[in-house]
Amino acid sequence: MNPYEQVKAELDKLDIKFDMVEHPAVYTSEEADKYVVGKAGMKVKSLFLTDNKKRNFYLVFMADDKRLDMKKFAERVNEKHIKFASEKILFDKLGLRPGFVSIFGLLNNSARDVKVYFEKSIIGELPLTFHPNDNTKTLFVKMSDLKKFLNDLGYEYNVIEM
């Protein structure tokens, strides 16, 4: 089963409806935005972070036109320093490569050791955008359905202001 089929099977199992836009391979949220212009949804960027000792892992979702204040986020999660996780850690933890980071990578996190954070401004009625572990597609999924997805996998999540 390819990555998209794995995500689709999980969403179908949970009766989660989504819209999908197919497009050429993209590696940043800015590139992906070009293919979803005019479609109702909150464009989201997904960041995979770790602490200095590589013991804590964070998947952060925020509006794609904002920049994460790493120092402020580190304070919020009681860390001294936060940085982007290496390609190796990203692959080991989420089974993903750079440019593919998504909430759906949690399907591959058998240790269930990634903490999930949503920036408050993206929570609302508009569906959020994510790659289905395949950077040639963008899915639009409602927050209520993402909660169902996270609960099914056994993840708690935090909503924070950044």
Side-chain angles (χ1 to χ4, degrees), residues 1 6 17 31 42 46 52 56 60-61 64 84 86-87 92 106 118 131 134-135 140 145 155 158:
M1 189 177 321
Q6 178 193 21
K17 307 291 183 235
E31 287 179 80
M42 174 61 71
S46 304
N52 264 350
N56 295 300
V60 178
F61 306 108
D64 75 348
F84 285 98
S86 68
E87 286 185 39
D92 290 348
L106 294 171
F118 290 89
H131 290 310
D134 171 343
N135 67 345
F140 290 74
D145 288 327
Y155 283 93
N158 299 282

Side-chain angles (χ1 to χ4, degrees), residues 48 86-97 108:
F48 188 58
S86 68
E87 286 185 39
K88 181 182 181 333
I89 292 173
L90 173 61
F91 190 78
D92 290 348
K93 291 292 176 184
L94 299 180
L96 301 174
R97 301 272 181 223
N108 304 320

Side-chain angles (χ1 to χ4, degrees), residues 138-155:
T138 298
L139 300 187
F140 290 74
V141 185
K142 292 181 182 176
M143 186 64 199
S144 57
D145 288 327
L146 292 169
K147 290 177 187 178
K148 189 188 309 183
F149 171 78
L150 290 168
N151 288 336
D152 184 67
L153 291 179
Y155 283 93

Side-chain angles (χ1 to χ4, degrees), residues 21-37 43-45 64-65 98-100 129 131 135-138 140:
V21 173
E22 294 191 61
H23 48 71
V26 294
Y27 296 91
T28 66
S29 55
E30 293 79 18
E31 287 179 80
D33 289 351
K34 297 175 192 170
Y35 300 101
V36 297
V37 171
K43 296 174 189 100
V44 174
K45 87 168 73 172
D64 75 348
D65 61 349
F100 291 70
T129 61
H131 290 310
N135 67 345
T136 65
K137 298 168 182 56
T138 298
F140 290 74

Side-chain angles (χ1 to χ4, degrees), residues 14 50 82 85 137 147:
L14 298 171
T50 188
I82 292 287
K137 298 168 182 56
K147 290 177 187 178

Side-chain angles (χ1 to χ4, degrees), residues 109-127:
N109 181 234
S110 56
R112 299 294 186 250
D113 59 350
V114 175
K115 297 173 182 95
V116 179
Y117 287 84
F118 290 89
E119 204 284 318
K120 185 179 177 182
S121 72
I122 67 171
I123 305 297
E125 294 302 311
L126 285 176

